[in-house]
């Protein structure tokens, strides 16, 4: 859907001239299996426009506006699918090699397996394979489920977690910084870039990984009228471990009326891993 909180309208945003959703569908088209984009009916026009130049894709306008689980289940039944390969649209570079292996298992060797995934894949390259029967049972048990995984996994009869290689970078599109990295990737490699090419490129240019790599540790500090101690508190955090490379500090000012915010703003100046927000 289009109402992402962190990056509104995320999937329609162009990267190197192509909407994110089109990049994803073009990657999935290499599998030669049906690709269905299940969306709220009131947003289907925007998706159809974004995908107008993309072949091998269908847009399913669903009556379930706030229930991704129900949308997925509805589309699976409408198209007569026995299994659904679920890919959330904050991804582009799904690991197609691991997915092909999973498809073979689902088709030929999955006696009783109704949920397949890989917890070790590089962030942004993952997928899930869910039987329509399992989706149906989960949809009957839960309503307005945002994260389908949490509803499906406990109800699945048999789960398979495929072992895969993890790379030390982040290919999930969830924050504005992620868009910046993808702009570099497609500008450098072209719109037909594959996961293998992206992996090779980032290994040769490791500094680019830091554009959107999440910190190992985030410290939140809330303060109200703390001018007497806030500088000392912030300074103590900034001297912990490898602060510049591995940590971030977020300060939340609860509408202070003293010099707290002035001190915080000066302290954060020139430090990209320190940010502050002022509540109303």
């Amino acid at each position: 859907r289009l109402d992402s909180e962190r990056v509104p309208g995320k999937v329609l945003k162009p990267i190197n001239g192509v909407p994110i959703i089109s990049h994803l569908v073009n990657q999935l088209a290499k599998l030669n299996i049906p690709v269905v984009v299940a969306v709220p009916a009131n947003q289907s026009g925007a998706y159809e426009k974004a995908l107008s130049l993309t072949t091998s894709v269908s847009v399913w306008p669903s009556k379930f506006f706030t229930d991704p689980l129900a949308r997925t289940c509805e589309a699976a039944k409408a198209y007569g699918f026995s299994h659904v390969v679920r890919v959330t649209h904050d991804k582009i570079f799904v690991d197609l090699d691991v997915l092909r292996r999973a498809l073979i298992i689902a088709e030929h060797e999955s006696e009783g397996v109704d949920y397949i995934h890989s917890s070790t894949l590089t962030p942004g390259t993952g997928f899930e394979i869910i039987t329509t029967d399992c989706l149906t049972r989960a949809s009957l048990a839960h309503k307005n489920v945002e994260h389908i995984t949490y509803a499906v996994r406990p109800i699945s009869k048999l789960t398979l977690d495929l072992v895969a290689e993890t790379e030390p970078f982040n290919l999930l599109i969830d924050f504005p910084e992620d868009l910046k990295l993808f702009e570099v990737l497609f500008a450098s490699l072209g719109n037909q870039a594959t996961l293998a090419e992206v992996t090779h490129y980032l290994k040769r240019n490791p500094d680019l990984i830091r554009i959107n790599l999440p910190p190992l540790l985030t410290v939140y500090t809330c303060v109200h009228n703390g001018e007497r101690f806030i500088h000392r508190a912030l300074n103590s955090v900034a001297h912990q471990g490898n602060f510049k490379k591995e940590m971030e500090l977020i300060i939340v000012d609860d509408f202070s009326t003293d010099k707290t915010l002035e001190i915080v703003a000066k302290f954060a100046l020139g430090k990209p891993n320190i940010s502050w927000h002022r509540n109303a």
Side-chain angles (χ1 to χ4, degrees), residues 12 19 21-22 43-54 59:
L12 303 185
I21 189 68
S22 294
Q43 299 178 5
S44 61
Y47 280 91
E48 288 169 354
K49 182 179 179 181
L51 293 165
S52 60
L53 300 178
T54 306
V59 176

Side-chain angles (χ1 to χ4, degrees), residues 31-259:
L31 294 169
N32 295 316
I33 60 176
V35 179
V36 178
V37 182
V39 302
N42 63 341
Q43 299 178 5
S44 61
Y47 280 91
E48 288 169 354
K49 182 179 179 181
L51 293 165
S52 60
L53 300 178
T54 306
T55 58
S56 306
V57 61
S58 301
V59 176
W60 176 258
S62 174
K63 62 185 177 183
F64 297 104
F65 287 16
T66 61
D67 196 331
L69 173 58
R71 276 204 301 276
T72 307
C73 185
E74 179 190 40
K77 291 180 178 179
Y79 283 89
F81 297 152
S82 62
H83 295 69
V84 166
V85 179
R86 177 176 177 256
V87 177
T88 56
H89 63 5
D90 52 4
K91 299 179 176 72
I92 290 181
F93 292 108
V94 177
D95 194 321
L96 299 183
D97 291 336
V98 178
L99 179 47
R100 288 187 181 99
R101 179 155 56 100
L103 286 170
I104 293 172
I105 295 172
E107 186 175 0
H108 299 294
E109 305 171 19
S110 60
E111 190 70 32
V113 176
D114 52 8
Y115 181 74
I116 302 174
H117 70 118
S118 179
S119 61
T120 59
L121 280 169
T122 302
T125 68
F127 60 87
E128 299 162 285
I129 299 182
I130 313 164
T131 64
T132 300
D133 175 68
C134 185
L135 278 171
T136 301
R137 288 185 280 113
S139 185
L140 290 173
H142 303 279
K143 302 301 177 187
N144 296 319
V145 172
E146 172 67 18
H147 300 288
I148 295 178
T149 304
Y150 300 151
V152 169
R153 288 187 68 173
I155 213 167
S156 63
K157 297 173 183 176
L158 187 58
T159 296
L160 179 61
D161 187 356
L162 297 175
V163 176
E165 187 175 353
T166 304
E167 298 292 350
F169 42 75
N170 175 33
L171 294 177
L172 198 65
I173 303 178
D174 208 20
F175 293 93
E177 293 82 4
D178 302 325
L179 296 175
K180 293 293 186 183
L181 175 63
F182 275 77
E183 286 283 4
V184 175
L185 293 177
F186 284 113
S188 302
L189 301 174
N191 288 340
Q192 303 305 315
T194 65
L195 176 59
E197 291 169 339
V198 166
T199 300
H200 181 65
Y201 177 77
L202 289 176
K203 285 182 175 179
R204 286 189 295 111
N205 298 277
D207 287 346
L208 295 177
I209 295 172
R210 296 174 59 187
I211 292 175
N212 74 330
L213 194 66
L216 292 178
L217 180 66
T218 298
V219 177
Y220 294 91
T221 298
C222 298
V223 60
H224 175 71
N225 289 346
E227 64 177 15
R228 292 179 295 108
F229 57 79
I230 189 60
H231 187 277
R232 188 168 72 252
L234 301 181
N235 201 48
S236 70
V237 175
H239 283 83
Q240 298 290 328
N242 195 353
F243 177 76
K244 287 185 178 180
K245 290 188 176 181
E246 297 181 347
M247 299 170 63
E248 70 173 340
L249 172 59
I250 298 174
I251 306 107
V252 180
D253 174 40
D254 289 325
F255 206 76
S256 295
T257 55
D258 61 3
K259 291 186 177 181

